Amino acid sequence: MTPSTARPRRRSAGRRAGGPALFGECLLAGLLTVLLALPLVTLAAACATGCHLVRTTAEREGSTRVADLLAVFRRAWPGSAVPSAAALALAGVLALDVAIVRAGLPGGTAVLAGCAVAAGAAGVVGLRAAAAWRPGIAWRRVLGHAALAAAGFRRGSLLLAAALATAAAGTWALPPLLVPLTGCLQLAAVAVQPRPPL
């Protein structure tokens, strides 16, 4: 066996062995994301930090210490307030639409379907952006890449949409599931990310 053939096998074996550790890091990523996103305008930076944690664990690269993750969050923060505010504004508009439909608006089924599609599309782009972000890359570039990836890699986008729907249903049924399901969503976003990411 030559060194060139031995190295890939060792890397793949290491990834398989990291399965339980990856699950634990998904829980940590979910908790960290929820806590960092509490100010609301930090939503995008928090999601990017969680995806960074999941990715470094999956690839067995970098540090997963909380202090280092907070440093990643500080690097993700500049420029992230605008997409965070846009996501919150969209969520508010969709929630208002749903409230109006529940009050008896004619054609409510079509409106609800449109709201679901809009929420799913925004969620997929947001998750792809969080997974694509790297230190030093501007959020505008990340969002443009995420929109193109969402349209160009449709199978992965459909999988992310299904994961979002499952997470939404699980959180609605049992709110404490928000933390682990957030980490699972970030793992899904990292898993379907095209290579190279940007």
Side-chain angles (χ1 to χ4, degrees):
M1 180 184 299
T2 65
S4 60
T5 58
R7 279 195 297 270
R9 291 184 182 177
R10 283 198 296 269
R11 283 198 296 268
S12 62
R15 288 177 186 172
R16 286 195 298 270
L22 181 58
F23 177 72
E25 296 299 334
C26 283
L27 297 179
L28 177 59
L31 177 61
L32 186 68
T33 300
V34 170
L35 292 176
L36 291 176
L38 286 178
L40 299 183
V41 293
T42 58
L43 177 62
C47 289
T49 304
C51 286
H52 172 85
L53 169 58
V54 172
R55 183 173 57 253
T56 54
T57 302
E59 297 175 355
R60 306 180 69 84
E61 296 176 356
S63 171
T64 59
R65 293 189 310 150
V66 173
D68 293 332
L69 293 171
L70 291 178
V72 172
F73 173 77
R74 286 193 293 271
R75 297 188 67 180
W77 164 247
S80 68
V82 172
S84 298
L88 293 171
L90 177 61
V93 170
L94 293 178
L96 180 61
D97 288 343
V98 171
I100 292 173
V101 167
R102 295 184 66 180
L105 178 72
T109 302
V111 174
L112 287 177
C115 289
V117 171
V124 167
V125 172
L127 282 171
R128 283 194 175 277
W133 179 85
R134 298 291 190 279
I137 301 178
W139 275 99
R140 180 177 297 181
R141 180 183 173 192
V142 169
L143 289 168
H145 167 80
L148 291 175
F153 298 88
R154 296 178 184 174
R155 181 176 298 177
S157 296
L158 289 174
L159 289 173
L160 279 181
L164 276 167
T166 302
T171 302
W172 177 79
L174 193 60
L177 287 178
L178 174 64
V179 169
L181 288 176
T182 297
C184 291
L185 281 175
Q186 290 167 333
L187 175 61
V190 169
V192 304
Q193 190 67 14
R195 302 292 190 267
L198 281 175

